[in-house]
Amino acid sequence: MKTSSQERTILDKIVEARRESIAHRKRVLPDVALKMAVEKNEPPRDFVGALARDGFNVIAELKKASPSRGVLREDYVPATLAASLAAAGAAALSVLTEEEFFLGSLADLKAAKKSARIPILRKDFIVDPWQVWEARAAGADAFLLIVAILSDEALCELLELGRSLKMEPLVEVHSREELGRAIAAGARIIGVNNRDLRDFKVRIETSLELIEAVPNECIAVSESGLQTHEDLARLRSAGFDAFLVGEHLMKEADPTVPLRSLIGAA
């Protein structure tokens, strides 16, 4: 019980730090400046289409570090990683942009966008509409929404804003209750995180337990703890359309090797 409480505190600290960062950045870069930048951008790439293909659609995640594992990759060069993972068959990329706990940045996302032609998801703790505008201004094609840190009202507001910008969010859940909230909000891409954000334990069974409750019209994504082609095959047979994989790729010297193995490429 003690460990669970500590991990919840870590999540609380991440969200609190994010809110403080947003408050500062809003003063430096107001909404109007972001909206002007968005108007100059090319239309978002088709994130939904990339995940709906017939095959093992892997969202390859670029992540330098995590609170639970520390630094995952010393030679972290987003542009190089993005180009190589796209060439190796990734359907889309996810880029961590949280600075303090994951050592990411929007500069990482921009570098990945320039180097790869596949859709780019902004992976962050998004709690404010300003962050959605910031994501689109930086070139993100989609963004993550974590149901556990959002009220129903905020979840609906952020979903609606994303769609107005032609960015369909990946809505992440970990429990049946969170899944029900995501469905009620109208989520079209639902990600089941096999990692419990309260204690950071990973269970692939979480995906298998929740998939039956994901509506057929939704794109289902299994996230975290996926390490073999057999894992993906099992989850695909259960009904998942796509798979988000990060640490398994980032800890390898050449992340294209495990990626090709995951998707079953020779």
Side-chain angles (χ1 to χ4, degrees):
M1 199 72 180
K2 183 178 179 181
T3 300
S4 177
S5 175
Q6 289 174 337
E7 296 299 356
R8 278 198 299 272
T9 300
I10 289 173
L11 179 61
D12 291 341
K13 285 181 178 179
I14 293 173
V15 175
E16 181 182 357
R18 227 53 197 126
R19 290 188 183 279
E20 292 176 358
S21 174
I22 295 162
H24 169 72
R25 282 147 68 177
K26 275 183 170 180
R27 291 191 292 270
V28 176
L29 190 61
D31 287 17
V32 63
L34 289 176
K35 292 176 181 179
M36 288 175 64
V38 167
E39 290 177 359
K40 297 176 182 178
N41 277 356
E42 296 179 356
R45 296 169 184 169
D46 185 6
F47 185 61
V48 173
L51 304 190
R53 303 177 310 179
D54 183 23
F56 291 95
N57 302 314
V58 172
I59 306 169
E61 185 159 276
L62 278 61
K63 177 166 63 173
K64 181 177 178 63
S66 77
S68 60
R69 301 284 186 179
V71 174
L72 299 169
R73 190 176 191 87
E74 294 289 351
D75 59 331
Y76 185 71
V77 184
T80 302
L81 289 168
S84 61
L85 289 167
L93 299 173
S94 168
V95 181
L96 256 296
T97 59
E98 195 279 332
E99 296 95 343
E100 183 176 345
F101 296 86
F102 291 85
L103 306 183
S105 72
L106 279 173
D108 295 343
L109 187 148
K110 292 176 182 177
K113 183 67 180 272
K114 288 181 180 179
S115 299
R117 295 185 178 276
I118 56 179
I120 310 290
L121 169 81
R122 180 186 185 182
K123 183 84 171 287
D124 210 317
F125 298 79
I126 292 181
V127 294
D128 189 292
W130 185 89
Q131 290 170 285
V132 178
W133 284 103
E134 181 187 49
R136 180 81 279 270
D141 305 298
F143 57 94
L144 180 75
L145 292 177
I146 303 172
V147 171
I149 64 173
L150 297 169
S151 67
D152 290 341
E153 181 181 3
L155 178 59
C156 290
E157 179 186 12
L158 294 167
L159 271 167
E160 184 177 349
L161 175 57
R163 286 172 184 155
S164 74
L165 295 173
K166 294 181 171 51
M167 302 168 71
E168 187 64 35
L170 169 60
V171 181
E172 181 178 286
V173 306
H174 180 72
S175 68
R176 194 166 291 270
E177 182 269 336
E178 291 175 7
L179 176 57
R181 291 179 56 208
I183 294 169
R188 295 172 188 163
I189 307 177
I190 295 178
V192 178
N193 194 346
N194 297 313
R195 176 175 286 111
D196 190 334
L197 292 178
R198 296 171 300 174
D199 58 19
F200 283 83
K201 291 180 180 177
V202 177
R203 293 176 62 253
I204 293 180
E205 288 73 21
T206 302
S207 283
L208 297 170
E209 290 163 2
L210 295 184
I211 186 60
E212 64 181 27
V214 177
N216 290 333
E217 62 271 20
C218 292
I219 292 174
V221 182
S222 181
E223 310 172 24
S224 302
L226 311 180
Q227 300 194 25
T228 67
H229 178 70
E230 288 70 29
D231 287 339
L232 270 59
R234 182 184 179 197
L235 290 162
R236 188 170 180 234
S237 295
F240 281 93
D241 304 288
F243 315 91
L244 191 147
V245 185
E247 290 183 12
H248 181 58
L249 304 179
M250 290 297 99
K251 67 185 182 181
E252 297 295 333
D254 181 358
T256 67
V257 174
L259 174 60
R260 290 193 176 99
S261 178
L262 280 169
I263 61 180

